[in-house]
Amino acid sequence: MALEGLASGIFNALSRLKGRRRLNEEELKDMLKSLRRALQEADFNVRQTKEITNRLEERMREEEPRPGVTIQTHAMNILYTELVRMLGPAREIRPHGATIMMVGLYGQGKTTTTAKLAEWYRRRHGVRVAVIEADVHRPGAYSQLQQLLEDSTVEVYGEPDEKDAAAIVRRGLAAHSSADVIIVDTAGRHQLDQELVVELQDMATLMNATERFLVIDAQVGQAAGPVAASFNELVDVNGVIVTKLDGTARGGGALSAVATTGAPIVYVGVGEKVSDLERFESDRFISRLLGMGDIRGLIDLAPDDLDEEEAMRLTERMMSGRFTLNDMYKQMEMMAKVGTVDRLLSFLPANMFGGMGAMGKAQKEAMQDNLERYQVIMDSMTNFEKDEPMSLKAERIRRVARGSGVKEKEVRELIAQWNRSRKMMKGMSGNRKLSKQMRAMMKSGDFDDMQNMGM
Ligand SMILES: Nc1nc2c(ncn2[C@@H]2O[C@H](COP(=O)(O)OP(=O)(O)OP(=O)(O)O)[C@@H](O)[C@H]2O)c(=O)[nH]1
Ligand SMILES: [Mg+2]
């Protein structure tokens, strides 16, 4: 996941409190010092680092943990609220009827993010999206955008030989007047210069942009602050997208610096693929960062043909203790489509499933391989067998193995896996506090005392 370094730094700092009922002065200072280092390594500036650690120190001294809450969890909860406060409230975006202008400096990820957003709105909001390539400076920008969206039904408008960006936008808007959402990709610069300023302002007026999204590479760290401020002045930025959060340790600096400019962060880019976009809501983001999980984010990952309701239903079923091979299959199907197991696990509480989030790379790869093989095996089963895996005795196992071209042993392994999953689900549903919490999380994203659940 993004900001792994920060996550493990915070975890290290707070793990010093593990098992403690009372803290002596030295232990508290020690923890704060190592937290300070973690924040600074993630490029939070000195002032913000100080502010967070001071607030934590103050509240650790003043507030008693609630009954049953360990000091470690108490500290985690305080840190959670302080970080969320620093990153600011979320902004809801309703894409229907929106005209979106993407702005930003060179190479920050504008074109890639244009494609990501288009797909996001098409898939999740079911709207008709058209994108317009209005970058007349970068050679090949139009074909780059076309390529990014070649598997999509999103319409791409461009005129590779035209030198007047505003003219492209004007004709593009006319050509796609029936689209629900229009997204315009613009040219970048090393720095905001006069030519670009005029070009962007002209376009913003011409298209009457309802959304002005600034794209910033997380790699720039704290420098994101001044960049956001200057674009904000120019086109009144109402959403910032921080990209490449997957590839840098400095992301904390970028996020916090943007937050101080007052322009809300609305999405983050977490990879080069068109699907590597996430909605940014500070509470969910921080919850995930602190290893508390983000069940609603998990639902965001659901593929096209598995809508939110179905994901909810599947979770409900898992929690209810009914768990057939079919459910497991659906779950795997969803996992496989969603992409790597790694990404999926990053949404779950770190200590859930016996710490699966902390699995090694080799283990994760093995799991990915298993998923593929299991799917093949299950394609050779009847619906009845998938509903009642207990019915899979010797003869049926032999038939399934033959049908799917695997060894009988592998079929038995799958059944054993189902059995383990079923027991785990049962354990989860038997844990009333946990299931209550899971449901509450799905509804509201409220994670208070998540850490107490012994997951
Ligand atoms: N790892 C990672 N790479 C990204 C992400 N977003 C964009 N990139 C990569 O960053 C590079 C630049 O992206 P572009 O979308 O071309 O950036 P741009 O702002 O349009 O660049 P110009 O048009 O030249 O100003 C490409 O190689 C992208 O694949 C992200 O979230 N994660
Ligand atoms: Mg570009």
Side-chain angles (χ1 to χ4, degrees), residues 105-112 116 135 138 144 188 243-244 246 269-272:
L105 298 178
Y106 260 143
Q108 305 283 297
K110 291 178 299 298
T111 306
T112 312
K116 288 179 178 179
D135 179 352
R138 152 86 48 220
Q144 183 191 359
T243 62
K244 309 186 202 180
D246 52 307
V270 292
E272 297 190 42

Side-chain angles (χ1 to χ4, degrees), residues 295-420:
I295 300 292
R296 278 164 65 229
L298 194 62
I299 289 168
D300 269 352
L301 288 182
D304 264 349
D305 47 358
L306 193 113
D307 57 22
E308 189 159 323
E309 231 164 73
E310 179 155 5
M312 290 280 200
R313 208 162 47 232
L314 191 57
T315 312
E316 280 285 333
R317 265 179 85 82
M318 281 160 51
M319 301 310 298
S320 76
R322 286 188 314 270
F323 188 68
T324 68
L325 210 43
N326 260 327
D327 291 328
M328 184 165 105
Y329 186 76
K330 263 198 213 137
Q331 207 182 8
M332 287 178 170
E333 223 179 5
M334 179 169 145
M335 284 171 103
K337 277 186 199 155
V338 157
T340 63
V341 175
D342 203 19
R343 174 119 186 261
L344 191 79
L345 289 179
S346 78
F347 281 88
L348 295 172
N351 46 356
M352 197 174 188
F353 300 154
M356 214 155 73
M359 264 192 329
K361 188 161 175 284
Q363 276 172 294
K364 284 174 186 162
E365 276 167 10
M367 182 160 165
Q368 193 83 48
D369 288 346
N370 276 344
L371 286 180
E372 282 162 28
R373 203 177 53 243
Y374 289 172
Q375 287 195 358
V376 171
I377 299 175
M378 287 168 67
D379 283 338
S380 285
M381 293 180 185
T382 64
N383 279 335
F384 170 76
E385 288 162 349
K386 285 186 270 190
D387 274 342
E388 306 281 345
M390 293 297 196
S391 72
L392 285 160
K393 300 283 189 278
E395 203 169 309
R396 287 178 189 261
I397 289 176
R398 203 170 309 134
R399 195 206 77 237
V400 172
R402 221 178 304 125
S404 53
V406 303
K407 298 202 180 74
E408 285 176 37
K409 189 171 134 251
E410 292 174 89
V411 182
R412 287 182 204 281
E413 264 168 29
L414 165 62
I415 300 169
Q417 174 65 43
W418 166 77
N419 229 333
R420 279 195 300 274

